[in-house]
Amino acid sequence: MERLYYTAAEIAEMVGVGRTKSYGLIKKMNKELEKDGFLVIDGKIPKEYFDARYFGGSRAKEVSA
């Protein structure tokens, strides 16, 4: 079963930043999701949302939030 979330370690490796920076990215994006009424998991971010926001949707289908 494919996981739906990225962890900070996975994001750090993908974008070439430290784990502290990746936690900051997750925190920022989770705040955006919460503002739109979504439930979030601290330290993790939905793969589709991250791909759409960070890579401009080039790695994933467009996400409607």
Side-chain angles (χ1 to χ4, degrees):
M1 185 167 165
E2 185 180 348
R3 294 182 332 197
L4 302 175
Y5 293 86
Y6 287 131
T7 65
E10 291 170 322
I11 290 173
E13 185 177 323
M14 277 191 302
V15 301
V17 298
R19 203 175 278 191
T20 301
K21 178 66 175 177
S22 66
Y23 274 114
L25 291 170
I26 290 171
K27 187 174 184 176
K28 179 179 180 175
M29 290 185 197
N30 275 341
K31 282 183 182 181
E32 294 170 359
L33 287 169
E34 281 183 315
K35 185 179 139 209
D36 290 338
F38 291 95
L39 298 174
V40 299
I41 299 172
D42 290 340
K44 294 185 179 186
I45 190 77
K47 288 182 175 184
E48 285 188 24
Y49 188 76
F50 181 83
D51 290 345
R53 285 285 286 122
Y54 193 84
F55 298 111
S58 62
R59 291 179 48 145
K61 294 181 279 184
E62 195 64 27
V63 176
S64 58

